[in-house]
Amino acid sequence: MFRLLAAKRTTALRTPALRRMLSSTVETMQDESPLAARKVLTLESMNPNVRTMEYAVRGAIPIRAEELREQLKKQPGSLPFSKITPCNIGNPQQLNQKPLTFLRQVSALMEYTDLLSPEMIESTRKLFPEDAIERAKRNLSYVGGAAGAYTQSLGIQEVRENVARFIEERDGFSADPANICLTSGYVSYAFAAAMTVSAHLTHYLFVV
């Protein structure tokens, strides 16, 4: 799987890169197993949508937008507009949408845990609402009080259990936390999904 690991180090996922990554995986697995001809996933046998998928965050328009942004920096007034707002990714704060306060409050408390100490808790209650304080304490209990430490490979167990309960309540179908994988965003999900397909693992849900 060396070629696959090497492909993971690319900074941007584009269709050619994905094809090369999948092709390398297939070739490597065929070399390693005499039964590969009958069992391994190939470019011909896989879902054609996987072969043609694209990482649409990049492309001609975003690249041109970056060029125009640089032009505005170096030559203010050279274009009939003064600002470029990227709309190719989910970035509502670029349009001045107020961030979700609760999430940032919880994150702040988890990152600076001294705010939850007995010596500072009364001062903290003057700045943070009680529900944010309780959520931060609960989340920290999931990781032994050490936010930022390594977790299980699939993600924090309690969080995956919460995701499973949410799916059951929303969709009416049972969900197994063991089949749920937490990722840090779209790109890491795409790589993980490609690896899952290549390794013959199925029935995984990626939460990004």
Side-chain angles (χ1 to χ4, degrees):
M1 301 296 289
F2 174 79
R3 298 181 190 176
L4 176 59
L5 294 174
K8 286 181 63 181
R9 297 181 182 275
T10 56
T11 57
L13 178 63
R14 301 189 182 186
T15 302
L18 179 61
R19 288 176 178 169
R20 288 194 298 272
M21 179 175 65
L22 292 175
S23 297
S24 298
T25 305
V26 170
E27 292 171 3
T28 303
M29 292 177 69
Q30 286 176 334
D31 292 340
E32 294 174 351
S33 173
L35 301 177
R38 289 188 289 113
K39 293 186 177 182
V40 75
L41 179 73
T42 67
L43 291 176
E44 290 71 29
S45 63
M46 70 169 54
N47 186 326
N49 291 328
V50 175
R51 297 197 301 268
T52 59
M53 69 179 291
E54 296 182 0
Y55 182 42
V57 172
R58 298 294 297 172
I61 294 178
I63 292 174
R64 178 55 177 159
E66 290 297 328
E67 294 173 352
L68 294 176
R69 191 195 306 276
E70 288 300 314
Q71 180 178 333
L72 286 173
K73 286 182 180 179
K74 297 175 181 178
Q75 305 173 39
S78 61
L79 297 172
F81 46 85
S82 59
K83 179 182 179 181
I84 294 178
T85 301
C87 298
N88 60 311
I89 54 178
N91 197 7
Q93 273 73 57
Q94 282 282 351
L95 300 176
N96 299 321
Q97 175 178 311
K98 184 180 179 180
L100 294 176
T101 305
F102 178 76
L103 299 180
R104 297 202 172 197
Q105 290 170 335
V106 173
S107 296
L109 291 167
M110 293 183 65
E111 291 294 332
Y112 186 36
T113 55
D114 285 353
L115 292 172
L116 301 174
S117 66
E119 295 79 13
M120 295 186 65
I121 191 62
E122 291 306 318
S123 297
T124 300
R125 287 195 170 102
K126 297 177 182 178
L127 298 173
F128 294 85
E130 195 63 33
D131 59 346
I133 293 174
E134 292 306 313
R135 180 66 65 86
K137 289 180 178 178
R138 189 177 73 183
N139 289 352
L140 285 169
S141 72
Y142 297 161
V143 292
Y150 282 112
T151 68
Q152 299 179 27
S153 298
L154 295 178
I156 300 170
Q157 174 68 24
E158 289 83 357
V159 176
R160 289 187 284 120
E161 290 173 355
N162 289 337
V163 171
R165 280 193 293 270
F166 171 79
I167 293 171
E168 292 176 349
E169 293 173 3
R170 184 192 65 181
D171 301 335
F173 296 97
S174 61
D176 186 351
N179 291 336
I180 294 175
C181 179
L182 308 177
T183 74
S184 59
Y186 171 77
V187 173
S188 59
Y189 154 75
F191 278 127
M195 291 179 67
T196 296
V197 171
S198 300
H200 302 286
L201 301 177
T202 58
H203 307 301
Y204 270 80
L205 171 68
F206 293 88
V207 179
V208 297

